[in-house]
Amino acid sequence: YLIHLQFPDVQFLSTRELAAWLAQPGNAPPFLLDARTAEEYEVSHLYSARLAPSDAHALNQWIGLTNSTPIVAYCSVGYRSAKFARQLQAMGYKNVFNLEGSIFEWVNEGRPVYGEEQTVRQVHPFNSLWGLLLTPNLPLSSEVAPEGTPSK
């Protein structure tokens, strides 16, 4: 919760809330932005997530993204994505959330991650110390995969 204290102006969304949102048929899913590096993203990411640009202003080039589009940013544990979410808010995006616990919490709870449109069983640990925050050999669940996503 240190991230909450450092970023009190950022809205947080729990992994359970995001999973429920993604599982609702017929609802428009949020725009998912992965605020990690390209190397981390290539190992695995949330289904349909896009790699966030290094310059938040580049988001203006994505077609269909408006100031009211729901955006959920995530990274490894939530710090980098909270910084990115704050930048987006400063740019006028009104419906921005930071995924609490980010991808580490997502996979530690057994939720799927993807690499090249397939479920994978690994997450880039950022570094060896942060890798200790990942539960080893946790089986991934497809129970919260959005409708139409590839299954194992």
Side-chain angles (χ1 to χ4, degrees):
Y1 293 96
L2 184 58
I3 296 171
H4 283 269
L5 295 174
Q6 289 182 297
F7 299 94
D9 52 336
V10 171
Q11 294 183 83
F12 286 81
L13 184 72
S14 74
T15 52
R16 289 186 175 142
E17 290 169 324
L18 177 60
W21 190 350
L22 295 174
Q24 291 177 353
N27 265 5
F31 192 79
L32 299 176
L33 282 174
D34 190 319
R36 299 175 302 152
T37 65
E39 181 183 53
E40 291 170 286
Y41 176 85
E42 287 174 17
V43 171
S44 63
H45 52 270
L46 273 60
Y47 184 77
S48 79
R50 294 245 183 107
L51 182 62
S54 57
D55 176 11
H57 293 283
L59 282 180
N60 295 330
Q61 298 172 8
W62 283 341
I63 298 172
L65 194 60
T66 68
N67 286 354
S68 61
T69 300
I71 298 171
V72 177
Y74 71 90
C75 60
S76 296
V77 297
Y79 182 81
R80 291 178 284 175
S81 53
K83 283 177 62 174
F84 195 76
R86 180 188 279 168
Q87 284 181 301
L88 294 176
Q89 288 174 331
M91 291 171 51
Y93 290 95
K94 296 172 178 36
N95 207 2
V96 179
F97 302 89
N98 184 35
L99 185 60
E100 188 170 22
S102 282
I103 198 169
F104 281 18
E105 187 163 331
W106 183 265
V107 298
N108 283 343
E109 292 174 344
R111 294 190 172 87
V113 290
Y114 296 81
E116 296 189 16
E117 302 298 319
Q118 297 178 0
T119 57
V120 295
R121 298 179 58 86
Q122 68 185 119
V123 173
H124 193 293
F126 184 69
N127 65 36
S128 59
L129 182 61
W130 284 40
L132 298 173
L133 299 173
L134 289 165
T135 304
N137 302 319
L138 186 67
L140 299 178
S141 165
S142 61
E143 71 183 70
V144 296
E147 196 171 302
T149 59
S151 58
K152 286 177 111 177

